[in-house]
């Protein structure tokens, strides 16, 4: 079947379910709002931005206890394309030192393909990813309920002939090394959230061209890096982008975000990384992203309005039109195991200071930073005490504070 015919079939199929999906939207929204009232979650939709304004809307979405209804073109593409597997393709989401990340449309899968001669680093990435995931699975749910880790999938090598034969043509660029790692995807934040970021923090020249800026492909894959350890003002000359958007602690306070909650989450996560996974947490990231909710099957009354032609479009497992927003932990390619000795302590200290400034910083002159560091420190030590009985967690915190004092004298506390 030719591409134009596929397009006609898709268009016809979309028209056939418009009445069905429209009739279900109100019911779905009502159900989500009711769930929010019961659980304390925030349900927001396209109208919420006008209702609350960009600052309050953004604060609510960044509470890590929220979900949003979206009708964006990207959501529609992911929702309907899977019904015809021929339409699935890999789209480039980003790249790092180790590999390039592609997302498979219509699924919650990503594949990270190693760059030339980087397959050994990618092997460590997928190994540490699995170690960390299993460590969190062994940890009490109360210590990890507000943090998500992408699900480990599968390591792929050049000998996986069937995989590469079936999927090579779906990539936008040629794949040479054929070393890859599959995991679940962290979806970017939806258009209303991205628009609120622009309204709240973008330079004037970008605000005047907001629609054009938001339409750029690189600005659709927006994740927010939570920088509790950076307070400096956003420089007007600094390039403004939405991919891996750096949100500083000062900006969080301006939005009235619950920075204490973020600090508690990071402290618990770092304790689990250190004393359950036994890795140094070097270069890990804490970001706010989204994920599609699981679609519920239709009721008997709803089935009366359906037929064989449109049932699949309503009952598929992932609901890309409704997404939860939460904090994620990712990027384990630089992590290493450590020994519980002096060398290991130095390794943990480097893992803290060489990372981007996610964690609160010690020895600050700002009372808010002092309070946030105290929250982080006390929660890290309390969580660590549940996992290990040695004095190494306390020694780690002491080493961080000593290094913080040294850096403050040199004027480089906040990176």
């Amino acid at each position: 079947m030719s591409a134009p015919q596929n397009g006609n079939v898709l268009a016809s199929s979309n028209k056939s379910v418009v009445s069905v999906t429209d009739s279900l939207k109100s019911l779905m929204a009502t159900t989500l709002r009711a769930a929010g009232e019961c659980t304390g979650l925030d349900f927001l939709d396209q109208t919420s931005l006008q209702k609350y304004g960009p600052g309050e809307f953004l604060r609510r979405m960044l509470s890590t206890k929220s979900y949003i209804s979206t009708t964006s073109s990207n959501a529609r593409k992911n929702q309907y394309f899977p019904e015809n597997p021929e339409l699935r393709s890999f789209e480039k989401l980003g790249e790092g030192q180790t590999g390039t990340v592609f997302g498979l449309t219509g699924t919650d899968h990503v594949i990270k393909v190693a760059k030339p001669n980087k397959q050994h680093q990618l092997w460590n990435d997928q190994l540490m990813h699995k170690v960390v995931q299993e460590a969190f699975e062994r940890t009490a749910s109360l210590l990890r309920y507000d943090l998500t880790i992408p699900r480990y999938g599968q390591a792929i090598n050049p000998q996986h002939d069937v995989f590469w034969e079936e999927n090579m043509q779906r990539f936008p660029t040629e794949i040479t090394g054929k070393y890859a790692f599959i995991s679940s995807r962290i979806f970017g934040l939806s258009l209303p959230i991205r628009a609120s970021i622009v309204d709240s923090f973008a330079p004037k020249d970008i605000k005047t061209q907001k629609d054009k800026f938001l339409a750029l492909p690189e600005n659709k894959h927006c994740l927010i890096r939570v920088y509790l350890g950076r307070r400096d003002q956003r420089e007007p000359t600094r390039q403004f982008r939405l991919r891996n958007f750096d949100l500083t602690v000062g900006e969080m306070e301006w939005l009235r975000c619950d920075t204490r909650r973020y600090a508690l989450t990071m402290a618990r996560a770092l304790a689990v990384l250190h004393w359950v996974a036994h890795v140094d947490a070097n270069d890990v990231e804490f970001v706010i992203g989204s994920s599609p909710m699981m679609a519920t099957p239709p009721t008997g009354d709803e089935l009366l309005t359906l037929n064989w032609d449109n049932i699949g479009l309503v009952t598929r497992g992932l609901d890309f039109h409704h997404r939860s927003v939460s904090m994620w932990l990712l990027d384990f390619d630089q992590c290493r195991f450590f020994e519980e000795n002096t060398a290991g302590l130095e390794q943990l200290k480097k893992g803290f200071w060489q990372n981007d400034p996610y964690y609160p910083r010690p020895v600050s002159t700002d009372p808010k930073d002092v309070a946030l560091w105290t929250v982080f420190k006390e929660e890290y030590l309390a969580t660590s005490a549940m996992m290990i009985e040695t004095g190494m967690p306390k020694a780690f915190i002491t080493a961080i504070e000593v290094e913080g004092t040294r850096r403050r004298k040199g004027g480089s506390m906040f990176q």
Side-chain angles (χ1 to χ4, degrees):
M1 185 175 290
S2 64
Q5 288 174 315
N6 275 341
N8 291 337
V9 170
L10 181 62
S12 175
S13 180
N14 283 347
K15 290 178 181 178
S16 69
V17 297
V18 165
S19 61
V20 176
T21 55
D22 285 347
S23 66
L24 293 179
K25 280 180 182 177
S26 177
L27 176 62
M28 293 171 70
T30 301
T31 302
L32 287 171
R33 288 192 180 91
E37 292 173 0
C38 293
T39 61
L41 299 175
D42 255 343
F43 167 78
L44 302 174
D45 57 23
Q46 306 281 69
T47 66
S48 300
L49 179 55
Q50 289 74 34
K51 178 180 178 181
Y52 295 115
E56 176 62 14
F57 176 81
L58 197 54
R59 183 192 71 80
R60 287 172 175 263
M61 290 311 308
L62 300 187
S63 68
T64 72
K65 296 186 296 181
S66 60
Y67 44 91
I68 188 169
S69 171
T70 177
T71 58
S72 68
S73 59
N74 192 47
R76 291 195 300 270
K77 177 180 68 174
N78 279 302
Q79 193 67 45
Y80 297 126
F81 275 21
E83 301 308 317
N84 188 340
E86 295 178 1
L87 297 176
R88 287 183 177 177
S89 63
F90 286 102
E91 58 177 336
K92 182 178 177 180
L93 303 179
E95 62 180 298
Q97 296 180 354
T98 301
T100 304
V101 180
F102 301 90
L104 182 58
T105 55
T107 73
D108 64 345
H109 300 153
V110 292
I111 182 168
K112 188 173 186 178
V113 182
K115 290 184 174 180
N117 302 316
K118 294 291 185 179
Q119 63 267 28
H120 299 299
Q121 289 92 325
L122 186 64
W123 178 260
N124 187 70
D125 190 359
Q126 63 89 31
L127 168 64
M128 290 295 165
H129 190 128
K130 186 64 172 176
V131 168
V132 169
Q133 178 180 308
E134 291 181 346
F136 275 83
E137 289 171 350
R138 296 195 303 270
T139 302
S141 59
L142 286 176
L143 299 178
R144 54 180 170 85
Y145 71 95
D146 51 359
L147 184 69
T148 307
I149 299 173
R151 297 188 311 278
Y152 179 94
Q154 181 182 1
I156 304 292
N157 65 22
Q159 284 69 53
H160 284 81
D161 296 329
V162 174
F163 174 85
W164 292 115
E165 288 173 3
E166 290 182 352
N167 291 285
M168 187 64 75
Q169 74 281 2
R170 294 176 175 171
F171 287 91
T173 56
E174 182 180 0
I175 304 298
T176 55
K178 296 184 180 179
Y179 293 96
F181 164 48
I182 297 174
S183 65
S184 63
R185 176 176 177 177
I186 307 173
F187 283 82
L189 298 168
S190 63
L191 179 59
I193 302 177
R194 288 183 276 124
S196 295
I197 293 174
V198 172
D199 290 335
S200 299
F201 302 116
K204 184 177 180 180
D205 60 322
I206 290 180
K207 289 181 180 179
T208 58
Q209 303 182 63
K210 183 173 73 171
D211 292 342
K212 182 179 179 181
F213 177 79
L214 290 171
L216 294 174
E218 61 267 27
N219 287 325
K220 293 185 178 181
H221 305 299
C222 171
L223 300 176
I224 294 178
R225 289 173 168 171
V226 183
Y227 281 176
L228 296 180
R230 175 176 289 169
R231 181 170 288 281
D232 55 341
Q233 296 289 327
R234 191 173 297 276
E235 299 175 7
T237 57
R238 187 178 174 186
Q239 183 182 9
F240 188 87
R241 63 178 188 177
L242 294 182
R243 185 195 294 271
N244 295 328
F245 180 77
D246 302 340
L247 188 67
T248 69
V249 68
E251 292 167 339
M252 295 178 220
E253 290 166 355
W254 179 79
L255 290 170
R256 295 183 297 112
C257 291
D258 189 351
T259 56
R260 183 178 182 275
R261 182 184 180 91
Y262 295 155
L264 290 170
T265 299
M266 291 183 189
R268 294 168 190 145
L270 188 60
V272 174
L273 288 166
H274 284 170
W275 311 118
V276 182
H278 301 289
V279 300
D280 56 15
N282 187 28
D283 209 32
V284 298
E285 297 185 26
F286 292 88
V287 304
I288 293 178
S290 70
S291 58
M293 301 184 71
M294 293 299 296
T296 56
T299 65
D301 288 341
E302 291 162 358
L303 283 172
L304 293 174
T305 68
L306 305 175
N307 56 48
W308 285 117
D309 294 328
N310 55 34
I311 180 64
L313 297 175
V314 178
T315 60
R316 59 186 311 276
L318 296 174
D319 180 3
F320 291 94
H321 290 298
H322 298 90
R323 299 185 190 178
S324 61
V325 178
S326 57
M327 183 179 287
W328 295 72
L329 174 64
L330 71 152
D331 256 8
F332 309 105
D333 60 312
Q334 298 299 312
C335 289
R336 299 292 186 273
F337 294 115
F338 67 92
E339 298 291 335
E340 293 184 23
N341 53 29
T342 303
L345 182 62
E346 182 66 19
Q347 187 178 340
L348 297 187
K349 186 181 77 171
K350 288 182 178 179
F352 180 96
W353 284 107
Q354 290 179 358
N355 199 354
D356 286 351
Y358 295 104
Y359 312 114
R361 291 301 189 248
V363 202
S364 173
T365 58
D366 189 306
K368 294 188 290 295
D369 294 328
V370 172
L372 204 58
W373 169 253
T374 300
V375 168
F376 178 88
K377 176 177 71 174
E378 292 179 352
E379 188 65 18
Y380 174 86
L381 291 173
T383 305
S384 298
M386 302 178 190
M387 305 164 181
I388 188 172
E389 295 181 353
T390 71
M392 198 161 176
K394 177 62 176 176
F396 165 72
I397 291 295
T398 299
I400 296 303
E401 293 180 331
V402 169
E403 177 65 13
T405 300
R406 186 190 70 79
R407 290 183 175 228
R408 173 146 299 283
K409 290 178 179 179
S412 60
M413 175 62 66
F414 290 96
Q415 301 177 13

